[in-house]
């Protein structure tokens, strides 16, 4: 496609007066080609030339499927043939009677609340230690602990790995046969704690949650580090003068100053939790959502309905419900923060 | 300064020398409380470092063990260091082929993403025209919606275009889904570049396209590198899209897809060290790329969330 844009270059050059070296549009050029209208024409031809490929790709592959989801959710489409009819909101009323839908929704809500809470909490603590929590060496009011650069690189490792790799890795860590977790427990004398981690319906979802937290903490450490780095050092100096210790500094200085970042991150983390739960559950868990549907989540339910059960229309209704859940979550998360704002100050 | 500022991408996020005024001051919490807290929090930091890197080291070491040793003593060092498992994973378990497949898709799509993303971003950042804002928000809005929601219709869109189960189809989809963030990021970047050089080039008779390719793109190099690495990691790690859109032929699986399938089948075949070798092969290049470019990666990843 690069040739397209090069073709535009040639056209423009040709029309602009033959050679690229002569200044077109300058006094002396004469005729239509030096008129402002021609320059406008060239400008718009350039703009449309540069926008057409990205826009067409984006419209066909991103916007149109997104909009089609809403339309198909009102049909009884199987996905196997092109025949279907519009059935109104039947798919949505079917959702209400679908036990697996409610179960998946419940699990997604656990992940939606739990993952951001734990990952952001740990991320905040580590970021504070790495940026502000160090001893005040060389008279700096705020400095990180020793080795903070190395920590930041290490903590970020899980984040750069594919979710598929993380899931395969942890599936093996949880494996009751030769898995790392049971091996470590036996090694430190806690052999009685050994479990079939992902095979126990009571704890399987928690095990998935732990992996998601593990994979995401590094991102929030780096993110909050960047936010904390933008706080002026003078503020820490003032706090230090007032005799604030690290705990007070954290809660009274750092936390309020980056609260906006935390709030956006919470929403972002929640959306991530919903989306990435697909790969974790598909790869890690017994029978993709088991045992006994104890780890089934909405994206996996949707995928099964569309590509396994031949209920593409119903699947898109699950998709629409995911959007609704995401939006409710985002609105709640953003408004709760605002209310707390009014109480505190 | 935050990393959200594109001009700050090439420089470390955390700077700021100490104010000389405080140089003589004694720390307020240098007493016993400070020290206890230091030991306590250092312990936490070390613990998480072990938790973050430990599983990776374990997987790496397990690739050298025999499958029997993995099952019997997961928590021990390998007896011997042979590369058998790596050879097995690369050839018999198809990791080599999956890696090739991933490269065939990801290399063109990263290049395409950078080209089309920066073309759109340049026009949106530096030209006034009706609909500019609308198109910008159309792209940026795409960052907020869950990809998984569109997967069912997307499958049929590709099927109708006869692009299902083809690398070309995946390349186009990867580009399209990377456009929102790339356009957003590069628009911000192009806005920060000085306009005077571009104007001078225009006066000298360069066309708009020439100005873009020969003046603006070289100036935007730091931003392009950041977004390029960011997109490489993101597309290399993609799982949902290949799983749903590239299903027909197991030989055409991408790395993540192939590895996930392998993990399921190894449970039955019992070649555990082969699986860990495959995991290591898939992990190491990404970790190396990240470690080399970690500043750009972190800047790229955090820029979107901070804005």
């Amino acid at each position: 496609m690069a040739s397209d844009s090069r073709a535009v270059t040639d056209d423009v050059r040709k029309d602009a007066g033959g050679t690229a070296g002569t200044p077109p549009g300058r006094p002396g050029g004469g005729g239509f080609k030096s008129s402002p209208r021609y320059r406008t024409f060239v400008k718009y031809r350039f703009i449309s030339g540069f926008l057409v490929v990205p826009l067409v790709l984006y419209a066909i592959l991103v916007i149109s499927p997104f909009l089609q989801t809403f339309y198909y959710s009102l049909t009884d489409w199987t996905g196997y043939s092109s025949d279907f009819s519009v059935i109104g909101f039947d798919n949505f009323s079917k959702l209400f009677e679908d036990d697996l839908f409610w179960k998946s929704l419940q699990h997604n809500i656990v992940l939606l609340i739990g993952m951001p809470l734990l990952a952001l909490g740990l991320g905040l603590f580590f970021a504070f230690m790495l940026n502000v929590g160090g001893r005040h060496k060389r008279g700096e009011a705020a400095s990180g602990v020793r080795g903070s650069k190395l920590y930041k690189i290490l903590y970020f490792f899980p984040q750069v790995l594919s979710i598929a790799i993380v899931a395969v890795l942890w599936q093996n860590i949880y494996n009751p046969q030769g898995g790392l977790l049971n091996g470590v427990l036996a090694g430190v004398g806690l052999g009685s704690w050994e479990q079939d981690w992902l095979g126990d319906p009571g704890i399987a979802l928690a095990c998935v949650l732990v992996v998601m937290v593990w994979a995401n903490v590094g991102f929030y450490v780096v993110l909050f580090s960047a936010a904390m780095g933008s706080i002026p050092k003078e503020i820490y100096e003032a706090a230090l003068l007032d005799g604030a210790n690290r705990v007070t500094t954290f809660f009274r200085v750092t936390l309020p100053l980056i609260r906006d970042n935390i709030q956006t991150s919470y929403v972002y983390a929640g959306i991530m939790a919903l989306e990435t739960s697909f790969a974790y559950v598909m790869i890690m868990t017994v029978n993709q959502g088991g045992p006994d549907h104890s780890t089934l989540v909405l994206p996996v339910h949707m995928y099964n309905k569309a590509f396994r059960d031949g209920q593409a229309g119903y699947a898109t209704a699950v998709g629409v419900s995911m959007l609704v859940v995401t939006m409710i979550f985002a609105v709640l998360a953003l408004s709760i923060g605002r209310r707390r704002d009014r109480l505190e100050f | 300064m935050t990393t959200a500022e594109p001009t700050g991408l090439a420089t470390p996020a955390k700077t700021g020398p100490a104010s000389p005024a405080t140089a003589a001051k004694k720390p307020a919490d240098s007493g016993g409380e400070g020290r206890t807290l230091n030991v306590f929090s250092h312990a936490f930091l070390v613990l998480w470092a072990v938790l973050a890197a430990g599983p990776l080291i374990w997987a790496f070491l397990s690739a050298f063990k025999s499958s029997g040793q993995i099952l019997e003593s997961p928590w021990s060092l390998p007896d011997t260091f042979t590369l058998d498992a790596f050879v097995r994973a690369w050839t018999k378990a198809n990791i080599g082929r999956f890696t090739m497949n991933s490269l065939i898709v990801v290399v063109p799509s990263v290049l395409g993403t950078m080209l089309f993303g920066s073309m759109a971003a340049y026009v949106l950042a530096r030209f006034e025209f009706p609909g500019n804002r609308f198109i910008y928000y159309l792209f940026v809005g795409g960052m907020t919606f869950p990809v998984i929601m569109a997967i069912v219709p997307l499958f049929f869109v590709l099927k109708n275009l006869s692009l299902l189960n083809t690398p070309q189809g995946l390349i186009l989809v990867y580009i399209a889904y990377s456009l929102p963030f790339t356009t957003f990021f590069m628009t911000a970047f192009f806005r920060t570049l000085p306009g005077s050089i571009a104007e001078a080039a225009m006066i000298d008779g360069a066309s708009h396209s020439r100005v873009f390719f020969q003046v603006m793109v070289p100036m935007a190099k730091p931003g392009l590198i950041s977004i390029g690495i960011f997109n490489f990691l993101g597309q290399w790690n993609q799982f949902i899209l290949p799983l749903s859109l590239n299903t027909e032929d197991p030989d055409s699986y991408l790395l993540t897809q192939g590895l996930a399938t392998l993990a399921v089948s190894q449970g039955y075949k019992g070649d555990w060290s082969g699986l860990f070798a495959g995991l290591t092969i898939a992990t190491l290049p990404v970790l190396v790329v990240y470690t080399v470019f970690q500043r750009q990666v972190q800047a790229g990843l955090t820029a979107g969330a901070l804005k």
Side-chain angles (χ1 to χ4, degrees):
Chain A
M1 290 298 191
S3 56
D4 279 3
S5 37
R6 225 162 283 139
V8 172
T9 320
D10 293 339
D11 285 351
V12 171
R13 211 179 295 150
K14 209 188 311 141
D15 294 348
T19 53
T22 52
R26 292 276 99 191
F32 172 66
K33 287 186 177 167
S34 63
S35 71
R37 272 176 61 205
Y38 180 72
R39 245 175 292 153
T40 315
F41 166 71
V42 167
K43 183 184 123 180
Y44 279 106
R45 195 176 52 183
F46 169 74
I47 290 171
S48 41
F50 260 37
L51 278 178
V52 66
V53 179
L55 265 183
V56 165
L57 269 184
Y58 188 63
I60 294 178
L61 296 173
V62 181
I63 296 179
S64 101
F66 184 66
L67 295 179
Q68 284 178 49
T69 298
F70 293 99
Y71 173 63
Y72 285 133
S73 71
L74 305 174
T75 68
D76 61 358
W77 190 32
T78 59
Y80 294 135
S81 73
S82 49
D83 306 332
F84 58 84
S85 46
V86 175
I87 52 166
F89 289 92
D90 283 9
N91 282 328
F92 291 94
S93 46
K94 230 170 92 191
L95 275 184
F96 281 92
E97 287 147 28
D98 183 352
D99 285 344
L100 288 183
F101 170 77
W102 289 110
K103 247 186 178 166
S104 316
L105 180 62
Q106 238 175 23
H107 300 151
N108 266 127
I109 291 174
V110 170
L111 299 178
L112 209 60
I113 296 172
M115 194 282 266
L117 209 61
L118 293 169
L120 266 69
L122 285 169
L124 269 174
F125 172 74
F126 293 135
F128 183 75
M129 290 314 299
L130 295 179
N131 290 284
V132 188
R135 281 154 184 259
H136 310 290
K137 57 182 176 218
R138 278 178 270 116
E140 285 186 35
S143 60
V145 297
R146 204 177 303 147
S148 57
K149 262 196 190 138
L150 182 69
Y151 282 123
K152 266 185 234 173
I153 296 177
L154 274 178
Y155 286 8
F156 208 69
F157 270 3
Q159 178 68 37
V160 286
L161 298 183
S162 161
I163 293 168
I165 291 176
V166 171
V168 171
L169 178 64
W170 277 85
Q171 187 193 30
N172 286 289
I173 290 173
Y174 283 135
N175 197 328
Q177 276 187 306
L180 179 65
L181 187 52
N182 278 349
V184 169
L185 287 175
V188 298
L190 291 169
S192 57
W193 289 16
E194 287 183 36
Q195 309 261 356
D196 179 6
W197 299 96
L198 292 167
D200 181 343
I203 53 170
L205 187 67
C207 291
V208 175
L209 177 64
V210 166
V211 179
M212 292 173 91
V213 172
W214 179 82
N216 281 291
V217 165
F219 176 74
Y220 295 103
V221 171
V222 171
L223 186 69
F224 292 141
S225 290
M228 287 176 191
S230 67
I231 299 175
K233 298 271 187 242
E234 290 77 19
I235 298 182
Y236 286 116
E237 281 163 20
L240 197 63
L241 274 179
D242 289 345
N245 62 20
R246 266 185 300 190
V247 178
T248 331
T249 310
F250 177 74
F251 284 104
R252 294 289 167 86
V253 180
T254 310
L255 211 52
L257 283 174
I258 63 165
R259 221 196 34 238
D260 282 352
N261 284 307
I262 299 172
Q263 207 170 12
T264 353
S265 306
Y266 201 101
V267 177
Y268 176 77
I271 296 172
M272 284 292 290
L274 181 77
E275 259 210 76
T276 57
S277 63
F278 176 78
Y280 291 118
V281 169
M282 284 295 275
I283 297 173
M284 272 170 57
T285 62
V286 187
N287 293 328
Q288 305 178 336
D292 196 21
H293 301 303
S294 63
T295 55
L296 193 67
V297 286
L298 287 175
V300 175
H301 188 48
M302 184 191 88
Y303 186 88
N304 287 341
K305 285 287 159 198
F307 298 115
R308 189 194 64 194
D309 300 348
Q311 300 180 23
Y314 183 68
T316 51
V318 178
V320 172
S321 76
M322 280 194 298
L323 185 72
V324 173
V325 171
T326 314
M327 276 162 53
I328 293 175
F329 165 77
V331 169
L332 276 181
L334 291 172
S335 62
I336 285 172
R338 213 173 295 132
R339 202 178 311 132
R340 199 179 291 147
D341 194 359
R342 273 191 222 111
L343 285 174
E344 263 180 22
F345 294 98
Chain B
M1 188 184 72
T2 69
T3 42
E5 233 100 15
T7 43
L9 287 173
T11 58
K14 194 167 66 84
T15 49
S19 152
T22 52
K25 235 152 262 155
K26 281 289 258 175
D29 61 348
S30 60
E33 181 252 14
R35 215 161 296 141
T36 326
L37 210 61
N38 236 351
V39 172
F40 176 73
S41 46
H42 254 299
F44 256 109
L45 289 171
V46 172
L47 179 72
W48 193 266
V50 171
L51 282 176
L56 299 174
I57 295 167
W58 173 71
F60 181 64
L61 289 176
S62 296
F64 294 103
K65 296 181 181 180
S66 69
S67 292
Q69 200 195 352
I70 292 172
L71 293 184
E72 271 165 39
S73 49
W75 183 226
S76 66
L77 286 172
D79 297 332
T80 51
F81 276 92
T82 58
L83 295 172
D84 285 0
F86 288 93
V87 175
R88 230 164 38 235
W90 187 262
T91 54
K92 282 200 190 130
N94 271 341
I95 292 291
R97 182 189 286 267
F98 297 152
T99 308
M100 268 317 284
N101 292 340
S102 274
L103 282 173
I104 287 169
V105 170
V106 171
V107 169
S109 80
V110 167
L111 293 175
T113 306
M114 285 162 75
L115 177 69
F116 295 130
S118 50
M119 272 162 54
Y122 176 67
V123 167
L124 293 171
R126 302 192 78 102
F127 287 87
E128 280 300 319
F129 59 93
N132 181 319
R133 293 282 84 191
F134 174 76
I135 295 174
Y136 176 74
Y137 285 116
L138 197 67
F139 275 122
V140 171
M143 292 198 303
T144 55
F145 91 77
V147 177
I148 183 99
M149 218 193 113
I151 203 79
V152 180
L154 182 62
F155 177 90
F156 293 100
V157 167
L158 282 192
K159 200 174 170 186
N160 293 336
L161 295 171
S162 309
L163 286 170
L164 201 62
N165 302 318
T166 64
Q168 296 91 311
L170 278 183
I171 290 168
L172 292 179
V173 169
Y174 278 19
I175 294 176
Y177 281 85
S178 310
L179 280 176
F181 185 70
T182 308
T183 308
F184 165 76
F185 185 91
M186 288 312 293
T187 305
F189 201 90
F190 280 124
R191 284 210 185 106
T192 64
L193 295 179
S196 48
I197 302 174
E199 273 161 32
M202 288 293 286
I203 289 169
D204 285 347
S207 68
H208 288 297
S209 320
R210 207 178 149 91
V211 168
F212 175 73
F213 283 108
Q214 297 192 347
V215 179
M216 297 314 274
V217 165
M219 283 204 293
K221 220 187 229 163
L224 283 171
I225 291 173
S226 274
I227 200 72
I229 297 161
F230 174 84
N231 279 322
F232 173 78
L233 288 174
Q235 295 180 0
W236 185 261
N237 289 340
Q238 202 24 271
F239 178 68
I240 300 174
L241 293 174
L243 185 76
S244 329
L245 307 175
N246 183 38
T247 50
E248 208 164 60
D249 178 12
D251 279 347
S252 72
Y253 281 0
L254 303 199
L255 189 55
T256 49
Q257 214 182 346
L259 199 67
T261 323
L262 195 65
V264 174
S265 67
Q266 282 320 306
Y268 303 105
K269 285 190 203 147
D271 183 7
W272 294 102
S273 47
L275 175 65
F276 283 112
L279 204 61
T280 306
I281 294 172
T283 306
L284 274 184
V286 180
L287 283 188
V288 169
V289 169
Y290 162 65
T291 315
V292 173
F293 294 103
Q294 43 102 6
R295 202 183 287 150
Q296 284 92 334
V297 176
Q298 297 192 348
L301 279 176
T302 50
L306 269 182
K307 283 225 166 166

